[in-house]
Amino acid sequence: MQPIPTTEPVRLTGRLDPPPNRWLWLLKWLLAIPHYIVLIFLWIAVWVVTIIAFFAILFTARYPRPLFDFTVGVLRWSWRVGYYSYSVLGTDRYPPFTLAEREDYPATLSVVYPERLSRGLVLVKWWLLAIPHYLLGGAIAGSSYSGYRWMDDAAGRYGTPSLVGLLVLYVGLTLLFAGRYPRGIYDLLMGIQRWGYRVSCYVSLLTDRYPPFRLDQGGDEPAAGTRPVTPGAPNE
């Protein structure tokens, strides 16, 4: 197994807190309502910010830093709420009400600020170039997939039955009856969420790095600067 370079600008991590409570997951939809309400308004603001950023990039090739930090903060907040609730069920620690990174919280998300972005790509990457991801995301996440975000973390719901929804339900039932979190399911859910947030950052115009079609599973990102490659597998 050989490492090849990777320069992923989006870094998403999670730490599985052992052991999650057997029954608390049944109430998390209720406990997370304050976050859902705040996130609805924050995501409305993100849509406005993204439109402003679109024209800023088109004319200056730069994403205004305060607007960039705001959008990343909303994504980070959404990830913490999703990790706590029905995207992963990875922790029972209540998410903080903040856009800032909290290194002490078991779910983190960071995006490298790009000094310059392509004026040409900003015209097509959020719809045309992302179509393959939209199609695959719809198959995985069901009708809750909006074409802009991988999962409807802000609303905490799924539309039609989906792979992610079924996996999370299996996790909840396993917690309830066995008191444990299946590690293999956790790694898979983290891979799906990591992929999804890379797509979200790309279509939010935060990066020009095209999201790779792969699941980097597990709580941690691949080691800095490298990722493992199976012999005979094609390089990206």
Side-chain angles (χ1 to χ4, degrees):
M1 183 175 293
Q2 297 176 333
I4 68 170
T6 183
T7 55
E8 292 297 341
V10 182
R11 297 190 61 81
L12 180 145
T13 68
R15 184 182 70 250
L16 185 60
D17 283 345
N21 188 281
R22 286 176 178 260
W23 57 267
L24 185 61
W25 67 276
L26 294 168
L27 298 177
K28 285 185 176 180
W29 65 271
L30 177 64
L31 299 175
I33 284 177
H35 283 282
Y36 298 155
I37 293 172
V38 174
L39 283 170
I40 287 172
F41 291 100
L42 287 176
W43 275 103
I44 292 173
V46 166
W47 278 99
V48 176
V49 164
T50 303
I51 293 172
I52 297 171
F54 172 88
F55 288 103
I57 296 168
L58 188 61
F59 291 108
T60 69
R62 293 176 63 88
Y63 199 124
R65 186 60 186 261
L67 302 184
F68 179 92
D69 291 340
F70 173 78
T71 301
V72 172
V74 176
L75 281 162
R76 182 181 293 133
W77 192 330
S78 298
W79 167 230
R80 286 194 295 250
V81 174
Y83 190 79
Y84 169 78
S85 58
Y86 302 108
S87 291
V88 181
L89 291 177
T91 183
D92 290 339
R93 289 185 56 187
Y94 199 70
F97 287 83
T98 178
L99 298 175
E101 186 67 282
R102 288 284 299 271
E103 296 294 341
D104 60 327
Y105 195 76
T108 67
L109 184 146
S110 63
V111 184
V112 176
Y113 178 72
E115 293 300 329
R116 294 187 65 82
L117 292 165
S118 169
R119 291 187 176 96
L121 281 178
V122 77
L123 297 170
V124 295
K125 66 182 181 181
W126 54 275
W127 66 280
L128 179 61
L129 298 182
I131 285 176
H133 286 284
Y134 291 160
L135 295 175
L136 186 55
I140 293 177
S143 65
S144 66
Y145 185 67
S146 66
Y148 179 72
R149 300 186 57 223
W150 187 259
M151 299 283 291
D152 195 355
D153 290 327
R157 65 177 181 269
Y158 300 95
T160 58
S162 64
L163 173 61
V164 173
L166 292 174
L167 289 174
V168 171
L169 177 61
Y170 177 79
V171 167
L173 293 176
T174 304
L175 286 173
L176 185 63
F177 294 108
R180 63 181 182 85
Y181 196 122
R183 188 66 196 215
I185 302 296
Y186 174 79
D187 291 342
L188 178 57
L189 284 170
M190 285 296 300
I192 293 172
Q193 294 299 322
R194 183 170 288 118
W195 184 354
Y197 274 89
R198 288 171 180 169
V199 175
S200 294
C201 290
Y202 182 74
V203 301
S204 300
L205 313 180
L206 299 172
T207 178
D208 283 344
R209 165 80 172 178
Y210 194 74
F213 286 92
R214 68 171 188 265
L215 298 181
D216 289 329
Q217 299 187 42
D220 295 324
E221 288 278 351
T226 62
R227 69 175 178 86
V229 174
T230 303
N235 293 347
E236 294 180 358

